[in-house]
């Protein structure tokens, strides 16, 4: 399943519409140069990000780190985070989310709320 959302290409490998019994969901995200996913939370799902290509400016709450190909990070449920393309060319990464029961709670944008609005400008 493929979708373009918020200027990013999403290549879903495991998704509720594809495999209903999956215990986790996985998507390859292709983010253009200068693009990003503003601060947000997944209220009922944790997430693992694994960088395939490029450089990610990865925020988890108030901490920022640069991730390169082969790096990964774990983000707990309801923890604010944002991912931005900090390099030249496209950023590609895998995002693995679980448990599937948390899917309905969705993704909540917190990028306009303090303190996140003070860490980095919205894209």
């Amino acid at each position: 399943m493929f979708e373009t959302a918020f200027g990013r290409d999403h290549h879903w490998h495991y998704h509720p519409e594809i495999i209903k019994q999956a215990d986790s969901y996985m998507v390859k995200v292709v983010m253009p140069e200068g693009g990003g996913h503003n601060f947000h939370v997944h209220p009922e799902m944790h997430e693992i990000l694994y960088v395939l290509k490029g450089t990610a400016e990865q925020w988890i709450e108030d901490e920022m780190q640069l991730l390169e190909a082969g790096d990964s990070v774990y983000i707990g449920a309801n923890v604010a985070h944002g991912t931005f393309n900090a390099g030249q060319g496209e950023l590609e990464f895998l995002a693995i989310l679980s448990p599937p029961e948390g899917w309905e709670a969705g993704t909540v944008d917190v990028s306009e709320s303090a303190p996140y609005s003070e860490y980095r400008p919205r894209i």
Side-chain angles (χ1 to χ4, degrees):
M1 180 174 151
F2 173 80
E3 68 179 348
T4 298
F6 310 104
R8 299 179 302 271
D9 291 340
H10 294 89
H11 304 267
W12 286 96
H13 296 271
Y14 301 98
H15 183 281
E17 294 178 16
I18 299 170
I19 302 175
K20 302 245 184 251
Q21 73 275 16
D23 287 335
S24 57
Y25 303 125
M26 184 175 76
V27 60
K28 180 176 91 170
V29 178
V30 180
M31 188 177 291
E33 187 172 324
H37 192 177
N38 294 310
F39 280 92
H40 61 284
V41 298
H42 306 287
E44 297 179 15
M45 296 182 92
H46 63 259
E47 182 173 17
I48 297 169
L49 299 178
Y50 180 85
V51 178
L52 298 168
K53 173 184 166 186
T55 303
E57 176 185 321
Q58 181 63 54
W59 287 84
I60 300 176
E61 292 291 340
D62 64 347
E63 293 185 20
M64 190 278 288
Q65 59 184 314
L66 293 176
L67 303 177
E68 302 284 341
D71 292 337
S72 64
V73 64
Y74 173 86
I75 303 159
N78 211 35
V79 172
H81 59 287
T83 307
F84 304 90
N85 185 341
Q88 295 181 339
E90 293 179 331
L91 168 65
E92 294 183 12
F93 61 91
L94 296 176
I96 302 158
L97 300 114
S98 71
E101 298 79 23
W103 185 260
E104 292 300 318
T107 299
V108 178
D109 187 307
V110 296
S111 63
E112 294 184 7
S113 303
Y116 311 111
S117 59
E118 300 165 10
Y119 296 150
R120 190 183 200 292
R122 284 178 48 85
I123 292 201

